[in-house]
Amino acid sequence: MEVTGSIDKRWLRALVLLFVALITGLAFASGATPAHADDIGGQYDFQFSGNVRNNDAPLEGVLISVSGGGYSAEVKTDANGHWKIGVPSKDTYTITLDESTLPKGIIVVKGGNTIQAEFGLTNNKSVNFFLGAGVRETTSFLDQFIQRSFTGLSFGLLLALAALGLSLIFGTTGLNNFAHAEMVTFGALATLTLAVDLAWPLWLALIAAILLSGAFGFVLDAGLWAPLRRRGVGLVPMMIVSIGLSLALRYLYQYLYGGSTRQLPGADGKDLKFGAISLSPLDLLSMGISILAVLGVAFFLLRTRLGKATRAVSDNPSLAAASGIDVDRVIRIVWVIGGALAGLSGILFAFYRPGVSWDMGFQILLLIFAAVTLGGLGTAFGAVIGSLIVGFFIEISTLWIPSDMKYVGALVILILVLLVRPQGILGRKERIG
Amino acid sequence: MVDFWQIIQNAAVEIISPTTAAYALAALGLAIHFGFTGLINFGQAGFMAIGAYGYGISTLTFHFPVWGAVLVGVGGSIVFALILGIPTLRLRADYLAIVTIAASEILRLVFTTNTLDFVTGSADGLSGYKGGFAALNPIPKGTYGFGPFTMNEYDLWLRIVAWVIVAIAILLAWQLMRSPWGRVIKGIREDEDAVRALGKNVYFYKMQSLILGGVFGTIAGMIFILPRAIVPANYATTLTFFIYTILLLGGAATIFGPVAGSIIFWVVLSAVSGFIARAQAAGWFDFIGMSSVQAGQSRFIIVGIVLMLLVIFRPQGIFGNKKELAFVK
Amino acid sequence: MSSDAKPTRGAPVKSINLHVGEIEPGVAKVDAIIVADNVTRTFGGLTAVDVAHVEIPRNAITALIGPNGAGKTTFFNLLTGFDKPDTGTWTFLGKSLAGIPSFKVARLGQVRTFQLTKALSLLTVLDNMKLGAKGQKGENMFAALLPWLWRKQEEEIEAKAIVLLEKFKLDTKSEDFAASLSGGQRKLLEMARALMSDPTLVMLDEPMAGVNPALTQSLLDHILDLKTQGMTVLFVEHDMQMVRHIADWVIVMAEGKIVAEGPPDAVMANPAVIDAYLGSHHDQDLGEDDPETIHAMKELLDADDES
């Protein structure tokens, strides 16, 4: 029954690689010839539909995609050039005609291949593109690559904020906090309530939401985690408590805010062109804020007395306590910082998606964990690097794999990295004994 | 007025429902991982998905017979366990947690993607695979049972098969855990270095445990889809966490705990959500402005809170013994 | 057993003339069970172990001493396969052990205990003991389902375990969880469990740490008894009285290197050893802290004081 360690490890590793190759291969192979119905999302009440014709000749097999409010779907036109897509809510959606699927020599001549559409009084809306003869301007692979890189950087940076908080909390308390997702959602929901429901000015709502998020971190620690630490509850039970908390909070949000996606003010900014890259001022602002926040945390950890104490507690809590550091106070502050960072990350994510929904944090929880693990559990700067890699990889991978599989790539990378370098990129090797 | 008799009847149906059996079996698999070996598997939903899709795809796309479809699912879960275990079982326990949860999400996304619609049915899932199982039914057509337990021949056949499988799994787990193999497994939960120092190949034992519990989860996934269709959204991480709640309810390192936990979980959940829905309709919750949609959502909030309270105040579960408090440190 | 109980035997019989030639660090032994060469292990930039050459004499009791952070436990971990060295080779009974995983090292007859006792708390004392036995048929998952294959062997193992438990005066506790034992009893249990595998070499990492004085004598007797049964003992210890009392040979480590070795009286008379490695550091017990961490933490706090 016994198999020698080195041999089984080798062939099993080969097995893993084979499996990953298989998945990727599948995605690639089928990505080339996607199987689509001409009618999708029939279960929803709201329907977009249209006919794709060139001089009254119907065009078959043209790819149409709809996205908005965190929802996306795509269909191909049928033999009559007809298509129909159902969507979950009565919001504004972006509808795109993939010009590469048009016959040669035919392009969208007027209005561009992207249309912003919203429903009128009815639940149906027809969307048509104006086609004609012409030469298509294609975005070169390099330009797409650069564009995606920037989007990825922006996403990676907002992930980094959440990951930093998670990593600091893990470092100082050893807790894998699954409820971190709900701390992310909290920031976005707080902004929504203040800026939309109470109609505060956006800048004031944002500041207040970040402060509230910090306070939320404080309350969670003071009300739940600190008492559990005092009871001497182990790390695994604490992790399961955080899972219960995550479930309870997430559905409480759904209970209070409902299941729909709502927009924050200012989410529909115009894009600016920088050569090949088109970015909205909001993207730039979001990246700027993220970078400032990351630098702020770095300054805190490296230069302030409290930050040094935080690192000392991360390294060795008992030794830190023995050298006169108030460990409980450090942990309390880490929760406040972690909460504020998560809240900020949630706000930026609400603009990035765009939209605020009750489970938005949960949608990226695994990516945050992947980033923290990739960088090295408990290393703050590893979390930032891990987040950038995850964000970048997710966006770049959509150049090759279907966009509804983009999270798969990041998670596969996580598993592959653990295979080669289990301690993560910046992590230290564990010492046994 | 609130019809309490109806609520009780609806709840009683859950005692023998195939869904309860499926969750019990999945929780028993998790008991082997978490309660006995100390492996934190957060991917039990993934193992169940492999059972569901392994069975469904082999039947619909490849026209396998029932036994062939079952073998495909079981084989798939063994490969999945190997892939999860190889990189992580030598590392600290939390790595397995992160990798298993990531892998089960990968599976769900792969099963959901439009790209693979022709085999997986993407977001709409699969149905129409029950013929082979129904054809094996020796029970003549008719209506069986009494009161709330009235059912047709398919439902009766399904319940018998589901609970016989659960009984066999319990016997297997019980015999294993009282054998020297079980002693090594429990030793690993307590301190794997100590077991290593006694000359046992800890990695190998952890892998066996991961595979065994995973196969239990996979078979549970097959039972789970026989009364319903395969829908990828069912295999989100929330499913895994429900199974953890069931496991901790019954007692993590007990053999009968998962079954008792599953029955209690489904009966109480049905009763509570039935009560909230009817009470809301009767206007009892108007003072907090609860809508009927909110009444439906409140049960998940309750599950979350119960999970927290269980872990904090009764970590050994309802049936676990405080002294042998079966909890991984 | 009370603390003033007389030892059951007279002064222990010391093994002498273990070495060949001049006594110096790395001296050759007449009959060596372990021979290690150029074993190094670094953590970050810090060298934890740097042993050029050492031999452990067979059928004798050897003590490994030195101040905290000297690399004793790390060296133990390397020899038993619980940690991997950066460089080096070592043999056990002439068989090279470099790169061999810990569980195989144990199967070869070289078993160890841990500084922080690893009793398996939620297993009964008897189950702890049974786990120690080698070559159990019922530990195969498929055989486990067929109890008639292993029931007889299980009975033999149980009988052996009960004999050992009686010897270690734990027989009355056999059905209790190991968690209910006192610290000293756990040390005894760990040692008894190691003996279930009939080892050739027993490696004890601080067997006396945290043990109630009432149990000390009993532990010492058990260690001496191992030698009379033909086993070899290598142990890490702080308590000089104990080392002097039972060890046949003493090896002194400091800063990862072997700095002195010899019979106990000779080593302890060496003033350099006393001053540098035993006297000045003896009270600074920081437990198991990673030396690198301590170093980093000191730096952090020093920097704080300046700012």
Side-chain angles (χ1 to χ4, degrees):
Chain A
M1 204 57 224
E2 295 285 307
V3 185
T4 44
S6 57
I7 294 174
D8 78 325
K9 194 170 157 190
R10 217 172 299 139
W11 78 257
L12 292 178
R13 265 191 190 182
L15 200 71
V16 178
L17 291 173
L18 192 76
F19 176 79
V20 171
L22 203 78
I23 284 195
T24 342
L26 249 172
F28 271 85
S30 37
T33 54
H36 289 291
D38 60 339
D39 181 352
I40 194 165
Q43 72 271 35
Y44 297 119
D45 290 340
F46 309 101
Q47 305 278 338
F48 286 112
S49 60
N51 290 300
V52 179
R53 286 160 188 270
N54 180 34
N55 290 333
D56 284 343
L59 298 176
E60 187 184 356
V62 179
L63 190 67
I64 307 282
S65 57
V66 161
S67 69
Y71 173 84
S72 69
E74 45 190 41
V75 299
K76 282 197 164 185
T77 55
D78 63 12
N80 298 320
H82 184 72
W83 60 270
K84 192 154 115 185
I85 298 179
V87 293
S89 58
K90 208 168 178 171
D91 281 318
T92 304
Y93 287 87
T94 307
I95 298 169
T96 310
L97 182 150
D98 184 350
E99 289 189 288
S100 64
T101 58
L102 289 172
K104 221 180 161 95
I106 297 175
I107 60 163
V108 180
V109 288
K110 207 164 71 184
N113 68 328
T114 304
I115 293 179
Q116 300 281 336
E118 54 186 322
F119 294 98
L121 293 173
T122 65
N123 292 343
N124 295 304
K125 168 83 182 172
S126 73
V127 178
N128 287 307
F129 297 90
F130 295 93
L131 304 185
V135 178
R136 177 158 31 101
E137 282 179 44
T138 51
T139 319
S140 74
F141 180 81
L142 186 67
D143 288 351
Q144 277 193 49
F145 186 85
I146 295 171
Q147 171 75 46
R148 296 280 163 90
S149 307
F150 265 84
T151 323
L153 183 66
S154 165
F155 185 47
L157 279 169
L158 77 87
L159 276 184
L161 298 180
L164 258 179
L166 188 71
S167 181
L168 284 175
I169 291 168
F170 177 84
T172 48
T173 66
L175 171 70
N176 280 305
N177 179 27
F178 277 77
H180 210 72
E182 279 55 51
M183 294 163 69
V184 169
T185 314
F186 183 88
L189 289 176
T191 314
L192 184 74
T193 303
L194 296 175
V196 179
D197 297 336
L198 301 180
W200 288 18
L202 186 59
W203 64 269
L204 187 62
L206 290 178
I207 293 170
I210 293 168
L211 292 178
L212 280 176
S213 302
F216 187 46
F218 179 90
V219 169
L220 284 178
D221 188 49
L224 181 65
W225 301 114
L228 288 186
R229 280 197 300 277
R230 273 196 294 277
R231 276 175 74 116
V233 176
L235 290 177
V236 172
M238 288 243 257
M239 174 164 72
I240 297 175
V241 170
S242 84
I243 290 171
L245 179 66
S246 164
L247 268 177
L249 280 176
R250 184 149 27 102
Y251 285 97
L252 183 68
Y253 292 159
Q254 192 194 27
Y255 184 97
L256 296 174
Y257 287 85
S260 65
T261 298
R262 294 167 66 193
Q263 298 297 336
L264 293 179
D268 49 356
K270 291 277 172 292
D271 283 4
L272 305 176
K273 288 272 180 194
F274 298 94
I277 312 158
S278 75
L279 288 170
S280 71
L282 210 66
D283 288 336
L284 290 173
L285 191 65
S286 159
M287 284 161 82
I289 292 175
S290 304
I291 291 170
L292 276 181
V294 170
L295 290 179
V297 173
F299 179 82
F300 166 77
L301 287 177
L302 296 175
R303 288 278 176 270
T304 67
R305 197 184 162 81
L306 201 58
K308 285 175 186 168
T310 307
R311 282 158 61 210
V313 174
S314 281
D315 273 351
N316 187 329
S318 44
L319 194 57
S323 39
I325 294 173
D326 183 348
V327 174
D328 263 337
R329 181 166 155 265
V330 167
I331 291 175
R332 184 67 45 86
I333 287 161
V334 162
W335 271 97
V336 171
I337 295 173
L341 286 172
L344 176 59
S345 165
I347 295 168
L348 299 178
F349 187 44
F351 285 109
Y352 174 86
R353 300 173 69 215
V356 180
S357 73
W358 59 284
D359 65 342
M360 58 188 283
F362 192 64
Q363 289 171 7
I364 54 166
L365 176 67
L366 268 188
L367 300 182
I368 300 170
F369 268 111
V372 170
T373 314
L374 209 53
L377 282 178
T379 59
F381 302 114
V384 176
I385 292 177
S387 305
L388 293 178
I389 293 174
V390 167
F392 185 76
F393 191 82
I394 283 176
E395 287 299 330
I396 293 295
S397 67
T398 56
L399 290 172
W400 296 281
I401 63 175
S403 60
D404 61 356
M405 298 254 286
K406 63 183 180 183
Y407 289 177
V408 172
L411 298 177
V412 170
I413 286 288
L414 168 70
I415 295 178
L416 289 182
V417 168
L418 286 185
L419 209 59
V420 195
R421 197 178 156 81
Q423 69 272 40
I425 294 165
L426 290 190
R428 249 196 322 209
K429 259 198 169 148
E430 286 272 321
R431 186 178 165 188
I432 316 164
Chain B
M1 213 30 239
V2 176
D3 183 350
F4 281 100
W5 178 236
Q6 189 59 47
I7 292 174
I8 290 167
Q9 285 199 336
N10 289 349
V13 169
E14 298 291 343
I15 296 174
I16 57 158
S17 89
T19 307
T20 306
Y23 275 71
L25 187 55
L28 183 60
L30 208 53
I32 293 172
H33 291 155
F34 181 72
F36 289 105
T37 323
L39 300 176
I40 310 175
N41 167 23
F42 278 161
Q44 195 69 339
F47 282 104
M48 291 179 75
I50 287 178
Y53 279 93
Y55 186 87
I57 293 174
S58 333
T59 307
L60 294 171
T61 308
F62 300 105
H63 308 291
F64 280 17
V66 172
W67 63 268
V70 170
L71 280 185
V72 168
V74 170
S77 76
I78 292 173
V79 173
F80 187 58
L82 289 173
I83 289 170
L84 294 183
I86 296 156
T88 53
L89 289 182
R90 290 178 203 280
L91 307 176
R92 235 174 34 201
D94 27 5
Y95 284 96
L96 181 68
I98 290 166
V99 167
T100 46
I101 198 170
S104 85
E105 276 296 283
I106 291 177
L107 281 180
R108 186 178 65 84
L109 292 168
V110 168
F111 289 135
T112 313
T113 179
N114 282 325
T115 315
L116 300 175
D117 185 67
F118 58 102
V119 269
T120 62
S122 65
D124 298 332
L126 297 171
S127 56
Y129 46 77
K130 292 172 201 163
F133 177 73
L136 295 177
N137 187 359
I139 303 166
K141 230 174 160 57
T143 307
Y144 298 87
F146 58 91
F149 301 106
T150 311
M151 62 195 85
N152 65 21
E153 74 286 348
Y154 177 82
D155 288 343
L156 180 63
W157 169 233
L158 175 55
R159 278 164 181 74
I160 291 170
V161 171
W163 286 102
V164 165
I165 291 174
V166 171
I168 293 171
I170 285 178
L171 271 176
L172 273 177
W174 176 74
Q175 175 56 34
L176 279 175
M177 288 311 160
R178 61 195 280 274
S179 75
W181 186 85
R183 195 158 59 212
V184 178
I185 287 292
K186 286 183 262 185
I188 291 171
R189 174 190 68 199
E190 296 301 312
D191 192 318
E192 59 176 84
D193 275 342
V195 176
R196 212 170 264 135
L198 295 173
K200 320 290 176 193
N201 187 347
V202 168
Y203 180 64
F204 193 60
Y205 281 99
K206 286 195 270 193
M207 190 65 94
Q208 289 180 339
S209 161
L210 187 65
I211 291 174
L212 181 68
V215 167
F216 279 17
T218 298
I219 296 173
M222 297 179 191
I223 298 174
F224 183 68
I225 57 162
L226 285 173
R228 54 173 66 75
I230 301 176
V231 181
N234 282 343
Y235 303 95
T237 45
T238 312
L239 173 60
T240 302
F241 298 151
F242 275 26
I243 298 171
Y244 264 93
T245 310
I246 285 171
L247 177 65
L248 296 174
L249 204 56
T254 58
I255 297 290
F256 288 98
V259 178
S262 184
I263 292 175
I264 294 169
F265 181 86
W266 285 108
V267 167
V268 172
L269 195 65
S270 162
V272 168
S273 48
F275 169 73
I276 295 178
R278 283 154 203 276
Q280 189 274 334
W284 290 17
F285 292 127
D286 287 353
F287 67 99
I288 49 169
M290 186 192 277
S291 71
S292 60
V293 176
Q294 288 175 325
Q297 290 159 352
S298 55
R299 69 189 215 165
F300 294 106
I301 305 176
I302 294 168
V303 174
I305 293 172
V306 166
L307 180 56
M308 288 167 72
L309 295 180
L310 260 179
V311 176
I312 298 171
F313 295 108
R314 205 168 165 81
Q316 72 274 32
I318 295 175
F319 300 102
N321 175 347
K322 182 84 183 173
K323 207 170 61 169
E324 62 186 303
L325 159 101
F327 224 112
V328 193
K329 284 159 288 292
Chain C
M1 179 182 283
S2 67
S3 57
D4 57 354
K6 291 280 178 286
T8 45
R9 70 190 82 219
V13 185
K14 297 275 185 160
S15 305
I16 49 169
N17 297 329
L18 297 164
H19 62 284
V20 184
E22 189 82 12
I23 293 188
E24 57 180 357
V27 60
K29 303 299 180 315
V30 177
D31 183 12
I33 190 164
I34 282 187
V35 181
D37 283 292
N38 297 319
V39 176
T40 61
R41 176 73 170 99
T42 54
F43 295 106
L46 206 91
T47 304
V49 168
D50 181 8
V51 171
H53 181 83
V54 71
E55 297 183 9
I56 311 291
R58 192 203 300 257
N59 196 16
I61 300 176
T62 304
L64 185 59
I65 65 172
N68 262 298
K72 306 183 298 288
T73 294
T74 309
F75 189 49
F76 242 58
N77 287 343
L78 293 172
L79 290 182
T80 49
F82 275 84
D83 194 0
K84 287 194 171 42
D86 300 330
T87 65
T89 55
W90 65 101
T91 60
F92 170 67
L93 294 169
K95 184 179 177 356
S96 173
L97 283 190
I100 302 280
S102 52
F103 73 92
K104 285 192 182 156
V105 171
R107 283 182 193 174
L108 289 170
Q110 180 186 329
V111 301
R112 68 169 293 182
T113 66
F114 294 86
Q115 186 179 0
L116 298 169
T117 320
K118 291 184 185 296
L120 305 167
S121 312
L122 298 182
L123 264 59
T124 63
V125 168
L126 188 60
D127 273 346
N128 261 279
M129 292 296 288
K130 285 173 169 177
L131 194 58
K134 283 203 280 199
Q136 299 189 41
K137 294 189 193 103
E139 289 183 353
N140 176 304
M141 186 167 76
F142 299 104
L145 292 171
L146 312 169
W148 56 90
L149 290 180
W150 43 265
R151 196 169 287 139
K152 189 161 167 289
Q153 190 191 27
E154 181 82 355
E155 280 161 14
E156 289 163 12
I157 290 170
E158 184 160 335
K160 183 175 171 186
I162 287 172
V163 171
L164 268 172
L165 284 176
E166 278 168 3
K167 204 163 156 189
F168 280 79
K169 301 209 163 43
L170 290 168
D171 46 330
T172 54
K173 302 264 183 192
S174 67
E175 291 309 318
D176 295 356
F177 284 120
S180 68
L181 300 182
S182 72
Q185 286 173 322
R186 286 184 207 193
K187 287 267 180 203
L188 286 174
L189 173 61
E190 202 183 7
M191 198 190 293
R193 191 175 63 195
L195 298 184
M196 283 295 289
S197 65
D198 302 319
T200 319
L201 169 63
V202 181
M203 297 176 63
L204 308 169
D205 196 350
E206 301 208 16
M208 292 298 156
V211 175
N212 171 347
L215 280 175
T216 312
Q217 190 57 49
S218 156
L219 256 170
L220 288 182
D221 288 343
H222 286 304
I223 295 172
L224 287 167
D225 195 37
L226 297 180
K227 188 173 86 172
T228 51
Q229 289 179 42
M231 287 174 240
T232 305
V233 178
L234 174 64
F235 70 102
V236 171
E237 189 47 65
H238 278 301
D239 184 338
M240 286 311 118
Q241 267 319 105
M242 170 182 167
V243 171
R244 191 191 295 272
H245 185 60
I246 65 167
D248 302 314
W249 192 261
V250 176
I251 298 174
V252 187
M253 278 182 87
E255 290 167 1
K257 293 187 168 59
I258 295 192
V259 292
E261 64 176 293
D265 288 328
V267 167
M268 286 181 201
N270 183 341
V273 170
I274 299 168
D275 285 351
Y277 310 113
L278 307 176
S280 60
H281 291 281
H282 199 211
D283 50 355
Q284 283 184 13
D285 201 327
L286 287 170
E288 266 216 308
D289 291 317
D290 185 342
E292 194 192 352
T293 313
I294 299 172
H295 183 70
M297 190 112 15
K298 277 184 187 145
E299 258 186 5
L300 270 171
L301 295 172
D302 290 350
D304 269 4
D305 293 338
E306 287 158 21
S307 62

